């Protein structure tokens, strides 16, 4: 998956099914390869395996979280892997942002609560943009570019139906009702995203999306100073990367056009981004 | 799945690489994968990264590994910076106080700029103050904004009556745990240390008001912590600490081994010294002069007790081995280590309690 090789071991139908559907385009590597994350999902060793079975997420043999209901093994895997990446991967400045690319230039969509980032990201991925990542803007501090990390896009609640209508050709995994974030379904990353997952890109735009029901479409330019603070705040490891993180955010902001985008209608938002980036 | 012996072999490989980093250059992909797994599980990955970096091998190890090493070193540097920032605040708060203060463990290694501190992540600031000055230090820090968590009477009693420290303090702005000790081991422990000679032998560090223990005292304290602390969660890391400390001190000062021996006798810490030398030598491969091993043998327990300790310690250390690859061996070891740790009656009670806990969970 992008820069990482993940070893997953489990004997769970509830994990295998969605994995086959949502990771079908990803390459497999030889089992002797060096892996970045060694993940095991298994039942906790207790009597619950017979009633309301549960599942544990283990990294390097250590159990990390409280057990989840076994039928949500796949969302647990996705969420757990994100957690592992965020904990360890300080070779990158990790932005909590969606990243897409067109004609060699990338757009960053940083997440804020209720931003509708994943929905907008999924929509753009079906309108001519290559998906680099929905959750992680991985800015490689050595190569000074964004590393793709394509993964299934987690769509929540109403977004699931919105994307089904917006892109009928999109492949969605099973619905997981009653997760902590409501009902979740995952969008299989388009094949182009997986094909291009070794091609790092430099960003040209930073757009902070904000979804509000009934909002009029509005694109507003941000000052560099405002955008800097908001992007720095958005990074998972801004503090840990210290001076290097500061320089990286500066580099991104200096070379990007920075905007606030307020929207309600997905088609309008996509058209506005097309106009901006044409 | 790997059995216990191959896990031990992997640990030996890890320790060998830490001592002779040139060996990193001969590793194959598969071996790297195993080495990284054991290093992470022993909490020695960032030390491995620091050793790799200081030998200039960062560009010779696989790029995938170098990426993780860079990440681990960044994290360690960030954590160490936070700890030093806390120490600055502490020094400012305590500047009016007229008494010797020693930084212990991680903080001491860091400010004394020892090799062992490179890539070493620690989470508490440990300070040693004379018992007579404890109340003044505590009051001064409270006045400076540090707070201890609200404790119930039992916990308060536990710390004040039985422990070697006061309840941990934290400054709400920074949240770093500060432990103020007045001796090196719990008051209830079989090991009793009079801290006065530690203050007398303390070493000043340029740029700091706090001092650090003398080399031999650092080693002995690390040994007490590992062999009498009762926490094996970081056992291999602690053992590697001992290895790094002894190697560095012995290289700097040819009289170190003799000084260590004399000091252990003066402080009545012969037994911890014996364990430190024995297990550093056998499990890590620390180059301890054979004369030292022979001379300290009488400090150890009798043959049967020693055998038991060998098995117990081996099991305790290896039972934190990488679970993913050693699941089977580990389950067996868990049972085995409990058997070793507890008399049968207590074990039975312990197991019933555990089982009862699971039942309660299932019923919810």
């Amino acid at each position: 998956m992008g820069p990482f090789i993940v070893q997953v071991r489990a004997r769970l139908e509830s994990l295998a099914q969605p994995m086959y559907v949502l990771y079908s385009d990803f390459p497999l590597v030889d089992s002797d390869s060096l892996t970045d994350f060694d993940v095991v999902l298994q039942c906790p060793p207790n009597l619950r395996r017979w009633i309301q079975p549960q599942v544990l997420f283990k990294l390097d043999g250590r159990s990390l979280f409280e057990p989840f209901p076994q039928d949500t093994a796949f969302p647990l895997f996705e969420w757990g892997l994100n957690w592992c990446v965020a904990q360890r991967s300080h070779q990158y400045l990790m932005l909590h942002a969606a990243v897409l690319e067109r004609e060699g230039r990338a757009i960053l969509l940083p997440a804020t609560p209720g931003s509708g980032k994943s929905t907008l990201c999924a929509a753009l991925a079906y309108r001519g943009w290559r998906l680099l990542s929905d959750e992680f803007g991985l800015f490689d501090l050595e190569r000074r570019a964004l590393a793709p990390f394509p993964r299934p896009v987690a769509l929540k609640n109403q977004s699931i139906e919105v994307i089904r209508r917006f892109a009928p050709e999109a492949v969605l995994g099973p619905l997981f009702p009653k997760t902590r974030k409501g009902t979740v379904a995952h969008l299989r990353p388009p094949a182009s995203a997986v094909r291009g997952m070794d091609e790092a890109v430099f960003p040209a735009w930073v757009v902070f999306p904000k979804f509000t029901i009934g909002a009029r479409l509005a694109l507003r330019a941000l000052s560099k100073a405002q955008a800097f603070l908001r992007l720095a705040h958005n990074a998972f490891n801004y503090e840990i990367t210290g001076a290097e993180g500061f320089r990286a955010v500066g580099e991104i902001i200096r070379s990007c056009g920075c905007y606030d985008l307020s929207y309600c209608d997905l088609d309008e938002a996509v058209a506005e981004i097309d106009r901006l980036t044409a | 799945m790997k059995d216990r012996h191959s896990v031990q072999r992997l640990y030996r490989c890890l320790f060998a690489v830490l001592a002779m980093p040139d060996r990193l250059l001969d590793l194959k992909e598969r071996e790297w994968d195993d080495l990284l797994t054991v290093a992470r599980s022993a909490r020695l990955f960032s030390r491995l990264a620091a050793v790799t970096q200081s030998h200039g091998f960062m560009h010779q190890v696989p790029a995938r590994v170098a990426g993780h090493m860079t990440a681990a070193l960044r994290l360690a540097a960030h954590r160490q910076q936070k700890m030093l920032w806390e120490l600055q605040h502490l020094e400012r708060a305590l500047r009016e106080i007229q008494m010797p203060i020693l930084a212990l463990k991680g903080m001491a290694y860091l400010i004394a700029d020892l090799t062992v501190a490179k890539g070493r992540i620690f989470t508490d600031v440990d300070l040693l103050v004379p018992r007579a000055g404890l109340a003044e230090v505590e009051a001064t820090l409270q006045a400076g904004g540090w707070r201890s968590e609200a404790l119930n009477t039992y916990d308060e009693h536990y710390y004040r009556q039985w422990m070697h420290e006061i309840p941990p303090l934290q400054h709400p702005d920074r949240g770093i745990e500060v432990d103020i000790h007045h001796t090196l081991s719990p008051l209830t422990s079989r090991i009793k240390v009079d801290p006065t000679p530690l203050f007398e032998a303390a070493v000043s560090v340029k740029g700091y008001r706090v001092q650090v223990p003398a080399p031999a005292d650092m080693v002995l304290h690390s040994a007490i912590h590992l062999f009498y602390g009762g926490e094996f969660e970081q056992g291999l890391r602690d053992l590697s600490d001992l290895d790094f400390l002894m190697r560095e001190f012995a290289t700097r000062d040819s009289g170190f081994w003799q000084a260590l021996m004399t000091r252990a006798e003066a402080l009545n810490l012969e037994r911890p010294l014996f364990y430190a030398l024995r297990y550093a030598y056998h499990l890590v491969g620390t180059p301890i002069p054979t004369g030292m091993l022979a001379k300290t043998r009488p400090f150890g327990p009798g043959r049967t007790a020693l055998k038991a300790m060998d098995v117990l310690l081996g099991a305790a250390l290896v039972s934190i081995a990488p679970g993913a690859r050693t699941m089977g061996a580990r389950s067996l070891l868990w049972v085995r280590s409990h058997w070793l740790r507890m008399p049968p009656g207590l074990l039975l009670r312990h197991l019933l309690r555990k089982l009862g806990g699971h039942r309660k969970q299932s019923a919810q």
Side-chain angles (χ1 to χ4, degrees):
Chain A
M1 305 175 194
F4 304 119
I5 293 176
V6 182
Q7 171 163 281
V8 192
R9 277 167 301 167
R11 283 186 172 178
L12 296 165
E13 192 66 19
S14 58
L15 182 69
Q17 268 321 102
M19 287 287 271
Y20 279 126
V21 175
L22 296 165
Y23 281 97
S24 57
D25 293 323
F26 285 76
L28 292 171
V29 294
D30 192 76
S31 67
D32 269 358
S33 307
L34 196 50
T35 55
D36 295 280
F37 300 102
D38 178 1
V39 174
V40 171
L41 280 100
Q42 62 177 188
C43 299
N46 63 24
L47 300 172
R48 283 191 64 155
R49 72 176 63 209
W50 307 114
I51 42 159
Q52 293 181 329
Q54 292 181 312
V55 59
L56 284 174
F57 183 101
K58 291 183 167 183
L59 176 68
D60 295 335
R62 281 208 187 95
S63 177
L64 294 181
F65 320 109
E66 288 298 302
F68 272 48
Q70 202 175 94
D71 50 9
T72 59
F74 185 75
L76 172 62
F77 169 71
E78 287 293 303
W79 181 75
L81 184 58
N82 286 344
W83 189 90
C84 298
V85 170
Q87 285 297 310
R88 278 195 187 165
S89 309
H90 310 298
Q91 63 270 48
Y92 302 98
L93 174 73
M94 291 182 273
L95 301 164
H96 185 201
V99 190
L100 300 111
E101 173 260 355
R102 203 164 63 177
E103 290 163 17
R105 301 199 291 171
I107 184 169
L108 270 166
L109 306 171
T112 47
S115 63
K117 168 208 56 149
S118 294
T119 320
L120 187 56
C121 167
L124 290 168
Y126 279 92
R127 292 291 187 275
W129 289 82
R130 170 169 73 101
L131 170 72
L132 274 83
S133 172
D134 173 47
E135 282 290 327
F136 283 97
L138 298 178
F139 187 81
D140 189 324
L141 291 166
E142 199 165 332
R143 297 165 64 198
R144 319 302 296 176
L146 289 161
F149 184 33
R151 300 266 301 285
V153 178
L155 299 170
K156 285 142 226 151
N157 305 318
Q158 287 88 342
S159 298
I160 302 168
E161 214 30 59
V162 169
I163 291 300
R164 272 210 183 110
R165 277 201 306 272
F166 186 88
E169 71 274 34
V171 178
L172 289 172
L175 284 178
F176 297 99
K178 291 185 197 156
T179 70
R180 287 181 313 151
K181 299 196 166 172
T183 300
V184 172
H186 299 81
L187 171 79
R188 177 162 88 196
S192 62
V194 182
R195 265 199 313 277
M197 71 182 185
D198 296 327
E199 294 163 30
V201 193
F202 202 82
W205 304 277
V206 179
V207 175
F208 294 88
K210 183 162 173 47
F211 170 82
T212 317
I213 291 174
R216 184 113 44 89
L217 184 80
L219 187 75
R220 188 171 67 89
L222 287 171
S223 76
K224 298 275 175 190
Q226 268 177 314
F228 183 102
L229 288 175
R230 282 165 67 177
L231 196 65
H233 184 71
N234 169 269
F236 291 111
N237 60 345
Y238 184 66
E239 231 188 281
I240 292 171
T241 49
E244 288 179 274
F246 174 80
R247 275 193 289 274
V249 173
E251 196 176 325
I252 294 170
I253 292 298
R254 250 197 303 279
S255 55
C256 282
C258 305
Y259 302 89
D260 259 337
L261 174 69
S262 168
Y263 76 101
C264 170
D265 183 86
L266 202 51
D267 283 298
E268 279 181 25
V270 171
E272 187 67 16
I273 287 179
D274 279 346
R275 254 196 307 282
L276 172 68
T277 58
Chain B
M1 193 173 287
K2 291 188 167 56
D3 60 20
R4 186 168 157 226
H5 289 287
S6 55
V7 172
Q8 278 178 338
R9 201 163 53 238
L10 283 172
Y11 280 120
R12 264 197 288 275
C13 169
L14 171 62
F15 288 129
V17 166
L18 286 172
M20 278 174 287
D22 300 26
R23 292 194 178 187
L24 283 173
L25 306 179
D26 307 325
L27 293 176
K28 294 177 186 60
E29 273 223 341
R30 176 84 249 181
E31 292 169 318
W32 265 113
D33 208 35
D34 286 339
L35 185 70
L36 298 190
T37 312
V38 287
R40 284 205 193 275
S41 111
R43 297 171 200 253
L44 284 167
F45 181 67
S46 52
R47 174 163 297 167
L48 181 64
V51 163
T52 305
Q53 189 186 46
S54 65
H55 283 74
F57 292 155
M58 225 34 151
H59 291 284
Q60 280 153 279
V61 304
R64 195 168 287 284
V65 176
H68 285 288
M69 287 186 164
T70 306
L73 290 175
R74 250 179 217 138
L75 182 64
H78 167 69
R79 292 279 171 79
Q80 292 187 348
Q81 194 183 23
K82 279 176 86 165
M83 301 312 276
L84 288 174
W85 180 229
E86 187 67 23
L87 182 63
Q88 275 198 25
H89 281 279
L90 288 163
E91 290 207 333
R92 194 177 311 159
L94 297 171
R95 67 189 179 277
E96 307 277 303
I97 286 190
Q98 301 297 319
M99 70 178 82
I101 300 178
L102 295 195
L104 300 176
K105 295 193 286 192
M107 186 57 88
Y109 308 156
L110 183 60
I111 64 177
D113 197 23
L114 299 177
T115 325
V116 71
K118 306 253 183 297
R120 189 180 187 281
I121 289 178
F122 60 101
T123 50
D124 312 331
V125 181
D126 293 294
L127 298 179
L128 181 73
V129 303
R131 196 167 188 186
L134 201 57
E136 191 187 353
V137 167
E138 193 178 1
T140 309
L141 291 181
Q142 297 268 11
W146 280 265
R147 296 280 171 268
S148 62
E149 246 180 81
L151 295 173
N152 60 34
T153 339
Y154 175 79
D155 286 344
E156 190 82 28
H157 180 79
Y158 169 85
Y159 274 107
R160 308 256 174 210
Q161 293 304 308
W162 297 333
M163 282 296 114
H164 49 304
E165 56 188 305
I166 61 171
L169 293 164
Q170 279 186 355
H171 196 288
D173 290 352
R174 297 177 302 277
I176 306 272
E177 184 172 324
V178 179
D179 294 330
I180 309 291
H181 305 252
H182 54 82
T183 180
L184 298 187
S185 56
L187 300 177
T188 51
S189 168
R190 270 182 297 163
I191 295 283
K192 298 245 187 295
V193 186
D194 171 14
T196 318
L198 271 86
F199 290 111
E200 284 161 5
V203 179
S204 294
V205 184
K206 200 169 169 242
Y208 294 93
R209 177 239 192 270
V210 297
Q211 296 176 295
V212 298
D217 293 349
M218 274 192 192
V219 170
L220 293 169
H221 182 209
S222 177
I224 296 173
H225 180 75
L226 172 58
F227 297 105
Y228 294 85
E231 285 170 38
F232 282 98
E233 181 68 8
Q234 310 222 44
L236 286 166
R237 210 271 308 259
D238 293 349
L239 202 55
S240 172
D241 282 354
L242 276 171
D243 173 61
F244 270 65
L245 287 171
M246 292 194 286
R247 275 178 207 265
E248 182 166 3
F249 294 145
T251 313
R252 264 204 239 154
D253 168 16
S254 58
F256 168 72
W257 295 113
Q258 189 48 52
L260 181 61
M261 180 96 163
T262 313
R263 191 64 169 171
E265 285 172 318
L267 296 176
N268 285 323
L269 293 173
E270 295 95 336
R271 184 63 65 83
L273 173 66
F274 165 77
Y275 285 141
L277 297 179
R278 179 177 181 84
Y279 296 113
Y281 179 79
H282 285 293
L283 300 177
V284 189
T286 312
I288 294 164
T290 38
M292 275 297 279
L293 292 167
K295 269 191 275 179
T296 50
R297 179 61 191 90
F299 301 158
R303 263 177 55 190
T304 322
L306 184 56
K307 265 230 159 70
M309 183 68 182
D310 287 350
V311 175
L312 184 71
L313 199 82
L317 294 180
V318 175
S319 67
I320 61 158
R325 283 157 205 275
T326 59
M327 225 102 70
R330 211 179 155 184
S331 316
L332 281 177
L333 262 172
W334 183 79
V335 174
R336 185 155 166 277
S337 67
H338 273 70
W339 183 253
L340 288 170
R341 224 177 282 161
M342 295 178 183
L346 185 58
L347 180 63
L348 189 66
R349 257 167 49 204
H350 179 72
L351 289 178
L352 283 173
R353 219 189 151 106
K354 288 265 159 194
L355 199 64
H358 284 315
R359 282 232 190 82
K360 253 182 247 152
Q361 264 180 25
S362 320
Q364 272 164 17

